[in-house]
């Protein structure tokens, strides 16, 4: 099959290409395994050779059951549906509500660069009926149901600050996921501020989520929320900024873990790289929302390579001085790379070997054993 045609050089297409994403996912620059052509759904069947009655096919060129992901979701009422999505760019917003449990989305080419779901709302974007979208409402895709799974999909929000200088609500979410047992493998999450919102449906629900072999990029708080989330073999990339003259440019993680939840974010065997100058990013800051002043954000980063973009001397900072990061649950263990250098020990709280035994995928996910694909 022919290789992908080059994209025109624009900020939007550069965002969708995802700086360093091909490297992050081990993907070559050549063709995907199951592109358009006569087999848009690759090895996953077709409407004429349906895998089972609960499999639906999405293709923007009309070769499937639906031309948009949203239309397929609307048709898939109840539990246990699979959506096989053909290569294409799907410019839409999609919500999987809480009734559509155990839903699976599969990028048919098995290359996340081929299947892109993207929109461009920000928190401050005016809504047609009045008001603005707010952070949650800005999400390109929202998944509220338990048991949601996605493989080989790109979730993107290509709203750009420079295009909207009059908007101050610059949060622009690519994916907001809230359900328990939510799993994402070989997916990309592209945006700037608040790219990936790993959350739960309400304060008393400790939703478990698993991200494996994923790529996430952004600048301000671009992985945030109160879920119990495990990130394994993932690549986080901080973006350069031309609108700021000095550090910090942003923060990778901003967990808002409920105080009663013994498990927050776990990052294991992953890496953090950067387009920005050395030391211009913080690893994390705690988010204590006004809706939950009792939150006690939790982040453990272990056996992960932190590149030079992370400020090694002061990797954590406060979001608000009333909630200092030192009073939160931030810990590290056996990290490597220039951004992990312990030059100011009091700024790099470390787990002991005994404590580290309690910070594993199995400990965080409990009786749930998500399928892991290398």
């Amino acid at each position: 099959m022919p290789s992908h045609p080059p994209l025109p050089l624009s900020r939007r297409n550069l965002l969708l290409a995802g700086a360093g994403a091909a490297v992050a996912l081990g993907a070559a620059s050549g063709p995907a395994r199951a592109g358009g052509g006569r087999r848009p759904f690759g090895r996953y069947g077709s409407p004429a050779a349906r895998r089972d009655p609960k499999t639906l096919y999405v293709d923007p060129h009309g070769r499937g059951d639906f031309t948009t992901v949203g239309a397929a979701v609307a048709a898939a009422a109840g539990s246990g549906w699979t959506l096989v999505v053909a290569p294409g760019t799907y410019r839409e917003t999609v919500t999987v509500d809480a009734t559509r449990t155990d839903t699976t989305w599969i990028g048919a080419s098995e290359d996340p660069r081929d299947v892109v779901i993207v929109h461009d709302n920000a928190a401050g974007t005016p809504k047609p009926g009045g008001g603005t979208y707010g952070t949650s409402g800005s999400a390109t895709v929202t998944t509220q149901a338990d048991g949601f799974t996605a493989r080989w999909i790109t979730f993107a929000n290509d709203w750009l600050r420079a295009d909207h200088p009059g908007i101050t609500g610059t949060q622009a979410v690519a994916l907001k996921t809230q359900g328990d047992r939510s799993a994402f493998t070989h997916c990309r999450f592209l945006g700037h501020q608040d790219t990936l919102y790993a959350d739960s449906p309400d304060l008393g629900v400790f939703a478990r989520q698993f991200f494996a072999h994923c790529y996430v990029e952004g600048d301000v708080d671009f992985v945030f929320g109160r879920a119990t989330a495990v990130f394994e073999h993932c690549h986080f990339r901080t973006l350069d900024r031309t609108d700021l003259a000095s550090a910090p440019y942003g923060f990778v993680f901003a967990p808002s873990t409920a105080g009663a939840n013994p498990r927050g974010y776990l990052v294991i065997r992953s890496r953090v790289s950067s387009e920005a100058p050395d030391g211009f990013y913080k690893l994390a800051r705690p988010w204590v929302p006004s809706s939950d002043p009792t939150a006690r954000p939790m982040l453990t980063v272990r056996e992960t390579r932190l590149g030079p973009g992370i400020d090694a001397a002061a990797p954590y900072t406060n979001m608000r001085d009333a909630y200092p990061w030192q009073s939160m649950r931030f810990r590290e263990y056996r990290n490597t790379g220039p951004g992990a250098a312990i030059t100011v020990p009091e700024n790099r709280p470390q787990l002991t070997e005994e404590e580290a035994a309690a910070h594993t995928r199995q400990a965080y996910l409990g009786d749930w054993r998500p399928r892991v694909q290398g």
Side-chain angles (χ1 to χ4, degrees):
M1 290 177 292
S3 61
H4 299 292
L7 292 169
L9 284 178
S10 71
R11 282 173 298 172
R12 176 160 289 162
N13 284 331
L14 286 171
L15 172 62
L16 292 184
V23 175
L25 294 165
S29 58
R33 280 177 279 177
R38 289 174 291 179
R39 296 188 60 210
F41 305 108
R43 63 188 178 98
Y44 296 98
S46 69
R50 201 176 300 275
R51 296 204 309 173
D52 58 64
K54 282 200 164 184
T55 297
L56 299 176
Y57 296 89
V58 184
D59 174 62
H61 305 293
R63 295 166 293 185
D65 301 303
F66 302 94
T67 58
T68 67
V69 177
V73 169
S79 181
W81 289 87
T82 296
L83 272 57
V84 179
V85 188
T89 298
Y90 299 84
R91 181 162 286 277
E92 54 181 308
T93 59
V94 185
T95 296
V96 180
D97 69 41
T99 67
R100 289 168 162 78
T101 56
D102 298 308
T103 293
T104 298
W105 292 4
I106 300 172
S109 71
E110 301 183 11
D111 184 335
R113 296 172 296 171
D114 292 337
V115 178
V116 179
I117 307 171
V118 59
H119 210 270
D120 60 351
N121 287 328
T125 300
K127 294 170 66 174
T132 58
Y133 283 100
T135 299
S136 292
S138 74
T140 297
V141 174
T142 301
T143 66
Q144 301 169 334
D146 292 345
F148 181 87
T149 297
R151 299 195 291 271
W152 302 298
I153 304 281
T154 290
F155 301 87
N157 190 318
D158 61 359
W159 188 90
L160 295 172
R161 299 181 187 94
D163 292 342
H164 305 277
I167 291 181
T168 56
T170 57
Q171 300 88 346
V173 178
L175 173 78
K176 179 175 183 178
T177 185
Q178 298 176 284
D180 188 38
R181 297 180 292 104
S182 297
F184 300 82
T185 58
H186 295 286
C187 288
R188 300 193 305 166
F189 306 92
L190 310 182
H192 283 262
Q193 182 172 353
D194 290 11
T195 304
L196 173 56
Y197 197 170
D199 203 41
S200 72
D202 60 56
L203 186 59
V205 176
F206 304 158
R208 296 164 297 174
Q209 298 164 7
F210 181 61
F211 300 81
H213 303 282
C214 289
Y215 172 86
V216 193
E217 70 179 23
D219 50 37
V220 177
D221 303 332
F222 64 92
V223 182
F224 72 113
R226 68 174 170 234
T228 293
V230 176
F231 300 88
E232 187 170 296
H233 297 296
C234 290
H235 180 182
F236 305 91
R237 187 161 178 85
T238 61
L239 300 177
D240 202 0
R241 298 185 64 174
T242 58
D243 58 319
L244 295 180
S246 60
Y249 277 2
F251 321 88
V252 182
F253 301 100
S256 58
T257 321
N261 190 350
R263 305 274 190 280
Y265 285 0
L266 171 65
V267 180
I268 183 168
R269 292 189 289 276
S270 295
R271 65 184 174 119
V272 179
S273 67
S274 184
E275 292 180 359
D278 291 356
F280 268 51
Y281 272 86
K282 304 292 188 181
L283 185 59
R285 62 178 181 172
W287 176 31
V288 178
S290 57
S291 59
D292 179 23
T294 66
R296 195 158 171 254
M298 181 178 185
L299 169 70
T300 299
V301 181
R302 59 175 297 173
E303 297 153 313
T304 289
R305 187 182 192 282
L306 306 180
I310 297 300
D311 179 358
Y316 307 108
T317 190
N318 301 337
M319 187 174 291
R320 287 189 285 170
D321 289 342
Y323 304 102
W325 72 264
Q326 293 90 343
S327 66
M328 304 303 168
R329 295 175 283 178
F330 286 2
R331 295 292 185 271
E332 300 179 52
Y333 182 70
R334 293 186 177 178
N335 294 323
T336 60
I342 303 175
T343 58
V344 184
E346 60 267 31
N347 289 344
R348 310 293 307 236
Q350 304 289 311
L351 295 172
T352 65
E353 187 171 350
E354 182 179 5
E355 290 169 337
H359 294 268
T360 64
R361 182 211 312 166
Q362 292 78 11
Y364 276 56
L365 301 184
D367 60 358
W368 175 44
R369 296 291 186 266
R371 179 183 177 188
V372 180
Q373 295 181 324

